[in-house]
Amino acid sequence: QVQLVESGGGSVQAGGSLRLSCAASGYTYRPFCMGWFRQAPGQEREGVAAIDRAGRTSYADSVKGRFTISKDNAKNALYLQMSSLKPGDTAMYYCAADGRFAYGDTCLYRTPADWGQGIQVTVSS
């Protein structure tokens, strides 16, 4: 059974940094896409950053230059380094993965098949 477990969330002041981690298990193949999505109260879920099987990355315009997505295939892990955090980054962050064929920006904009439980990130001003 596929499982995605996030860690590393919490509260930070504006301008600070956090690193989210996601441990993936149960996959018998390497997903074509892995990514981070977020949803703030009263807002729609949005793609934050994604990485495809070849390592190509995509970012939402709102986080470009501040967030960095990476993965460690040997550890079946996905990471999101968040810097220069803003109150507008406050949301529940979800790790997601998809075994359907895709690459590049499609990984950021297509709803993934598999989701973690989510982890809260709160940025105070």
Side-chain angles (χ1 to χ4, degrees):
Q1 184 176 354
V2 168
Q3 191 173 21
L4 300 168
V5 179
E6 302 95 339
S7 62
S11 297
V12 65
Q13 289 192 327
S17 299
L18 280 175
R19 187 190 193 213
L20 302 183
S21 299
C22 174
S25 61
Y27 285 98
T28 58
Y29 56 90
R30 190 179 304 166
F32 279 97
C33 299
M34 296 192 75
W36 293 94
F37 293 72
R38 68 185 181 187
Q39 187 167 22
Q43 297 187 19
E44 292 187 358
R45 182 178 59 203
E46 64 171 344
V48 176
I51 186 166
D52 68 16
R53 186 182 277 190
R56 289 172 290 225
T57 58
S58 302
Y59 295 93
D61 288 343
S62 59
V63 306
K64 282 181 181 176
R66 300 189 298 120
F67 290 11
T68 302
I69 189 171
S70 62
K71 63 177 179 172
D72 186 331
N73 291 328
K75 296 182 178 179
N76 295 322
L78 182 72
Y79 307 101
L80 185 68
Q81 179 66 48
M82 304 184 292
S83 302
S84 301
L85 283 161
K86 306 174 181 179
D89 295 317
T90 295
M92 186 73 78
Y93 283 71
Y94 297 90
C95 174
D98 202 325
R100 294 171 294 175
F101 175 75
Y103 60 91
D105 290 349
T106 302
C107 292
L108 185 63
Y109 298 113
R110 186 176 69 183
T111 301
D114 304 318
W115 294 86
Q117 292 296 311
I119 194 163
Q120 181 68 36
V121 172
T122 302
V123 184
S124 58
S125 57

